[in-house]
Amino acid sequence: KDAALSAVEACAWSAHLPYCAELLLYLALERETLHQPIPHLSVLDVLAFLRPLPLFHTAVAGCARKVESKYWPKLFPPGTLPSRLLSECLPARPEVAASLLAIIQGNDGPSAAHQSGLPILQAALSRRTYPLCAELLSFLSRAHDASA
């Protein structure tokens, strides 16, 4: 495990590293759901491996957005709720937090997604990421309408 962490840290400069982490998580999830797990590499193992890395949130959110919602419980075991991950991303990474909104909406409904989206919008405004602000306003409007 230490050697793997060292290898990841040595490649931290690569723009491809978050995608590799997401793929590793996806492959472990896929194999577990097919009841053909990779020996010594469960979804929980991958999550534990990625947790201390800065790309953790990006990898989990990216994987969750690409799989069916019925597999989300494996990606979000107790203590790893999407809303908690979202909070951990703020205020520094509103774009990653925003990618978790669809998952929160799927799990907890449009009202929860709307409530979770407001701090992301504040963080995006503070960082002056106006294209993200526009996307968030659109999402929040739809979530508000759906919960009304």
Side-chain angles (χ1 to χ4, degrees), residues 71-88:
Y71 301 122
W72 289 349
K74 285 189 173 287
L75 289 174
F76 300 103
T80 314
L81 298 173
S83 56
R84 180 174 166 217
L85 295 182
L86 183 148
S87 297
E88 292 171 1

Side-chain angles (χ1 to χ4, degrees), residues 5-64:
L5 278 173
S6 295
V8 169
E9 289 170 358
C11 296
W13 56 268
S14 174
H16 301 291
L17 189 58
Y19 302 111
C20 293
E22 182 182 319
L23 180 61
L24 178 63
L25 185 55
Y26 176 81
L27 290 174
L29 178 65
E30 179 183 53
R31 294 291 295 269
E32 276 187 28
T33 57
L34 294 172
H35 304 289
Q36 300 171 343
I38 300 168
H40 311 294
L41 190 66
S42 69
V43 172
L44 290 176
D45 293 334
V46 175
L47 289 170
F49 172 73
L50 296 176
R51 187 66 165 127
L53 301 172
L55 55 75
F56 172 74
H57 299 86
T58 304
V60 173
C63 185

Side-chain angles (χ1 to χ4, degrees), residues 67-146:
V67 299
E68 294 178 50
S69 60
K70 67 182 180 182
Y71 301 122
W72 289 349
K74 285 189 173 287
L75 289 174
F76 300 103
T80 314
L81 298 173
S83 56
R84 180 174 166 217
L85 295 182
L86 183 148
S87 297
E88 292 171 1
C89 292
L90 295 175
R93 299 170 61 200
E95 65 287 339
V96 178
S99 68
L100 292 161
L101 283 175
I103 297 152
I104 291 171
Q105 183 169 331
N107 275 350
D108 304 323
S111 180
H114 184 269
Q115 184 177 9
S116 296
L118 294 174
I120 301 171
L121 180 59
Q122 289 174 331
L125 284 168
S126 295
R127 296 181 64 83
R128 300 175 192 241
T129 52
Y130 298 123
L132 177 59
C133 291
E135 289 179 41
L136 284 166
L137 286 171
S138 176
F139 178 88
L140 291 170
S141 175
R142 289 190 312 272
H144 176 74
D145 292 347

